[in-house]
Amino acid sequence: MSAATRDPAPARIALVLLAAALAVAVFLLPLAAVLAEALRRGWEPAWSAISDPDSLAAIRLTLLVASISVPVNTVGGVAAAWAIAKCDFAGKRLLTTLIELPFSVSPVISGLVYVLLFGAQGYLGPWLRAQGIEIIFALPGLVLATVFVTFPFVARTLIPLMQEQGREEEEAAATLGAGGWQIFRRVTLPNVKWALLAGVLLCNARAMGEFGAVSVVSGHIRGQTNTMPLHVEILYNEYMFVGAFAVAALLALLGVVTLAAKTLLEMLTSRRIGEHV
Amino acid sequence: MSASAAIAPRSARRRQALPGLGLTLGVTFAWLGAIVIVPLAALALKPWELGVAGVVAALAEPRVLAAFRMSFGGALAAALASVPVGLLFAWVITRYRFPGRRVLDALIDLPFALPTAVAGLALTALFASNGWLGAPIEALTGWKVAYTPAGVIVALFFVALPFMVRTVEPVLRDLPLDTEEAAATLGATRLQTIRRVVLPALAPAMLTGFGLGFARAVGEYGSVIFIAGNMPMISEIAPLLIVVKLEQFSYAAAAAIGLAMLVLSFAILLLLNLWQRRLRRGLG
């Protein structure tokens, strides 16, 4: 940077200090507040709130929902990325727009659409009830809503990278007689593995932390359809603040670990992952 | 675009060089159709069970109108506030080298990674009358933040901010320094250069970041409902009203509110997009 494009030192220092102060207020204080509220009466009450049977049930349910939703969106996202980046067909832009659509839909609407389909007064509700199938206020509803809100994560981390990488390596492999699956596993996958991992991590963090969408379809049945974020809300509304903040701290830890892993993967690949996701 | 495509002679109809289009497109459409298209179609159909007059009546309820004002007005205010703060963060992490820059860079994504309910709880604790930030603000200005519309805007600002930073930052990084040098050579002061050269070049990205942050904030739920106080007509947001209608089993009214939210925010995004196109044309 030449002298002409360098800001004067006092301006530089002032701007950096201002940014640092804002970062502390906007990002660090909220994290510290969660921790402080959780540990307000020491470790013991915080720990017993987390190891309470209802909390454990919520943790188990959250893990279960994520373990179904994340693989679904990983398979869908990889398939979409292959079709869009490695093949030719009309309507690619439209398809990409549709895949990113769930990001611009309110989480509450993401839950609402499934209630409209499968709820008691939904289009398929009466028929499902006659068959004895429960979707809303049960696990399938939680999974569907979670899949909806985390839908684009894997696809949108892979598509730009796979487009940039082009098709030469895959085409060379095809010329040498490799089949589609072989090409994907031996050529494409090694090229995108870190980005894929980052996409999966971001998808998982959102799946475990989702609140609005699952809140609409859950019915809040304690020990049965309460995920961790919903459990936080219930504890908070019952004035069990230490418990609410203790479970929230656990979720915050998930967010911070995801962020650290993403930063690490970005350093590893020296490229930004999941820009404005 | 691959380089070889430009060099290789284009046959009239290029044969698919790589296999798997049928399979991957099939999986994609099954996944997209079942999860996104069919459910959103239900949202588009359901409100009309009320008839056109019924939909209008459902949306014209004073409580619904107030909630729309809160959600859209609050999102607008939050996205506006994200412009200067987002620019500052983007500027500092792309232009300066200082200890802790990487940490700051990583922290900016925190609102993306932090579950919304956690953000909501944290901001409520911070901005309550006895909170670390709420107490000094109230002592100095007499304003309450938590449980007022100001609290809603604080939460929406938190979720909108990273969008602004992350859209402006790559453009700022790729901005050629020689235009700034030229401006300086021609006698512009540093401030003039930033105002007349750098900011206009960033304007389209700022609009994109504004739009993304706005779209996210309009629909935001988890980080808002704890700090909002949710008083009807005052600090109630539109997504909460959908939840209320669902609890009353008014599916069609809930769908009407949801559909109106989507249509309105897409219309605003379209306008922003058109404005951005004009800006880009102006830049040449």
Side-chain angles (χ1 to χ4, degrees), chain A residues 7 88 106 114 121 262 272, chain B residues 16 35 96 105 109 190 219:
Chain A
D7 302 331
D88 294 307
S106 167
Y114 293 104
Q121 295 166 42
K262 174 179 170 274
R272 277 224 179 274
Chain B
Q16 286 295 338
I35 299 297
Y96 305 152
D105 191 1
D109 283 334
R190 187 69 189 130

Side-chain angles (χ1 to χ4, degrees), chain A residues 1-2 4-8 11-12 15-16 18-20 22-23 25-34 36-37 72-73 75-80 82-83 86-89 95 98-99 101-109 112-117 119-123 144 147-148 151 155 163 166-168 170-171 174 179-180 183 205-206 209-212 215-216 229 232-233 236-237 244-245 248 251-252 254-256 258-259 262-263 266-267 272 275-277, chain B residues 1-4 14-21 23-25 27-29 31-32 34-40 42-43 45-46 49 85 88-89 91-96 98 102 104-118 121-126 132-133 147 157-158 161-163 166-167 169-170 173 177 180-181 184 190 194 212 215-216 219-222 225-226 239-240 242-243 246 249-252 254-255 257-259 261-262 265-266 269:
Chain A
M1 224 177 265
S2 73
T5 55
R6 193 176 297 140
D7 302 331
R12 248 177 8 230
L15 288 178
V16 168
L18 183 59
L22 279 169
V26 178
F27 306 119
L28 288 182
L29 280 185
L31 281 182
V34 171
E37 293 290 329
V72 168
N73 281 339
V75 170
V78 169
W82 178 274
K86 305 289 176 187
C87 303
D88 294 307
F89 59 94
L95 185 61
L98 286 176
I99 288 173
L101 193 60
F103 272 156
S104 27
V105 173
S106 167
V108 169
I109 297 177
L112 167 70
V113 292
Y114 293 104
V115 176
L116 297 180
L117 275 183
Q121 295 166 42
Y123 289 110
L144 283 170
V147 171
F148 187 103
F151 192 86
Q163 273 175 335
R167 307 176 190 172
E168 281 83 4
E170 282 87 357
E171 280 166 353
I183 299 177
R206 180 69 195 268
E210 179 50 32
F211 176 74
S215 143
V216 172
V232 168
E233 186 197 19
Y236 188 81
N237 287 342
F245 279 97
L251 282 169
L254 164 79
V256 171
T258 305
L259 211 57
K262 174 179 170 274
T263 308
E266 282 177 345
M267 285 162 70
R272 277 224 179 274
E275 210 112 272
H276 51 77
V277 162
Chain B
M1 288 299 122
S2 68
S4 68
R14 197 172 159 223
R15 222 180 61 81
Q16 286 295 338
L18 292 173
L21 176 64
L23 174 70
T24 53
L25 218 50
V27 171
T28 304
F29 279 124
W31 174 61
L32 190 66
I35 299 297
V36 178
I37 309 286
V38 171
L40 283 179
L43 178 70
L45 284 179
K46 193 74 182 180
E49 283 179 6
V85 181
L88 172 69
F89 281 133
W91 183 264
V92 164
I93 57 175
T94 51
R95 291 301 175 97
Y96 305 152
F98 55 93
R102 238 178 218 295
L104 175 61
D105 191 1
L107 271 180
I108 287 165
D109 283 334
L110 185 73
F112 289 150
L114 200 65
T116 55
V118 179
L121 236 57
L123 294 173
T124 310
L126 268 185
W132 293 341
L133 293 177
Y147 317 123
F157 170 74
F158 181 77
L161 180 60
F163 289 95
R166 293 307 183 210
T167 37
E169 181 203 320
R173 187 173 289 129
L177 283 174
E180 287 172 53
E181 267 160 26
R190 187 69 189 130
I194 288 173
L212 288 168
R216 169 71 199 266
E220 183 55 30
Y221 180 69
I225 55 158
F226 294 99
L240 178 65
I242 295 180
V243 174
L246 276 181
F249 291 99
S250 315
Y251 282 17
I257 297 172
L259 187 61
M261 275 180 71
L262 277 189
S265 60
F266 285 153
L269 288 182

Side-chain angles (χ1 to χ4, degrees), chain A residues 136-264:
Chain A
I136 299 304
F137 304 154
L139 180 67
L142 295 172
V143 171
L144 283 170
T146 306
V147 171
F148 187 103
V149 291
T150 57
F151 192 86
F153 279 100
V154 174
R156 80 169 295 165
T157 42
L158 286 184
I159 291 170
L161 178 65
M162 282 168 65
Q163 273 175 335
E164 236 171 78
Q165 288 175 344
R167 307 176 190 172
E168 281 83 4
E169 290 184 35
E170 282 87 357
E171 280 166 353
T175 318
L176 294 172
W181 176 243
Q182 226 180 348
I183 299 177
F184 172 72
R185 221 171 40 106
R186 308 280 287 273
V187 179
T188 309
L189 197 56
N191 280 338
V192 299
K193 59 180 184 232
W194 297 123
L196 177 62
L197 181 60
V200 168
L201 285 175
L202 290 172
C203 183
N204 177 64
R206 180 69 195 268
M208 290 190 172
E210 179 50 32
F211 176 74
V214 291
S215 143
V216 172
V217 296
S218 142
H220 308 277
I221 309 165
R222 218 183 268 242
Q224 281 181 45
T225 61
N226 251 345
T227 61
M228 281 170 83
L230 298 177
H231 192 55
V232 168
E233 186 197 19
I234 288 190
L235 291 173
Y236 188 81
N237 287 342
E238 290 175 347
Y239 303 101
M240 315 224 334
F241 293 130
V242 167
F245 279 97
V247 180
L250 211 57
L251 282 169
L253 184 69
L254 164 79
V256 171
V257 168
T258 305
L259 211 57
K262 174 179 170 274
T263 308
L264 210 69

Side-chain angles (χ1 to χ4, degrees), chain A residues 32-72:
Chain A
V34 171
L35 216 57
E37 293 290 329
L39 299 178
R40 184 173 280 264
R41 291 199 218 104
W43 287 92
E44 196 49 48
W47 179 248
S48 65
I50 289 175
S51 51
D52 168 85
D54 283 344
S55 300
L56 290 179
I59 294 172
R60 265 197 303 275
L61 182 62
T62 291
L63 292 174
L64 178 63
V65 169
S67 70
I68 303 170
S69 320
V70 175
V72 168

